[in-house]
Amino acid sequence: MKALGRHVLIEFYGCPSEVIEDHALIEKHMRGAAAYSGATIVESVFHHFNPYGVSGAVIIAESHLTIHTWPEYGFASVDVYTCGDSVNPWKAADYLSEKLQAKKTESSEVPRGMVDKIRQFAEQEIEEVRVKPKEELEGVK
């Protein structure tokens, strides 16, 4: 299956509330995850909600990482969306699992921009695209 991008959806359970409530720490960890995955950080924006919770995005040259936390439930939801082969979204997921001290992590990957479908509607030819599957990237840490 050829796709332009990879969208990894991660749910982190059992995170210490003091970790996922800390606005500055969440931004630091999200930027760290982007860097660890091989992404090029463009900018980031984070917001602390009252009474609790943090939402934020790290914009990368290869797409983005986003997070929303529910400290009152010890839960955080993260999206890592990457394009091309230079970034390993699973490295970002592993990094965040450790930094958020999650007791349980569930994740799935959704291919984005299916090339065969895009070709049906594109006004110009799309060059050959190959995104490495998770199995090929697992050895890269």
Side-chain angles (χ1 to χ4, degrees):
M1 226 180 338
K2 295 181 182 176
L4 297 178
R6 304 169 70 191
H7 197 163
V8 176
L9 311 170
I10 313 122
E11 307 222 320
F12 298 103
Y13 301 94
C15 302
S17 60
E18 63 274 7
V19 172
I20 61 174
E21 174 67 6
D22 188 323
H23 172 275
L25 189 59
I26 290 297
E27 183 168 6
K28 175 184 172 185
H29 290 333
M30 290 291 287
R31 291 178 66 89
Y36 184 71
S37 71
T40 304
I41 298 171
V42 176
E43 67 179 299
S44 60
V45 61
F46 285 78
H47 177 78
H48 183 264
F49 291 95
N50 188 13
Y52 32 65
V54 176
S55 283
V58 176
I59 306 306
I60 58 176
E62 303 82 4
S63 197
H64 67 267
L65 289 79
T66 60
I67 188 169
H68 187 74
T69 71
W70 287 263
E72 68 275 29
Y73 303 126
F75 175 74
S77 177
V78 172
D79 290 4
V80 180
Y81 189 177
T82 64
C83 299
D85 284 337
S86 64
V87 178
N88 183 343
W90 292 101
K91 287 181 75 171
D94 291 344
Y95 180 95
L96 288 169
S97 183
E98 178 184 323
K99 296 298 183 182
L100 300 181
Q101 302 173 35
K103 291 181 181 166
K104 179 171 178 58
T105 301
E106 292 181 343
S107 56
S108 62
E109 181 172 333
V110 177
R112 303 296 302 270
M114 301 305 296
V115 174
D116 289 339
K117 186 170 277 189
I118 292 170
R119 281 190 173 122
Q120 294 175 24
F121 303 98
E123 294 181 7
Q124 61 186 17
E125 184 59 32
I126 297 173
E127 61 186 71
E128 209 46 44
V129 174
R130 181 178 182 277
V131 175
K132 294 177 186 173
K134 178 183 178 187
E135 296 77 33
E136 285 185 35
L137 294 171
E138 283 181 340
V140 182
K141 290 273 180 178

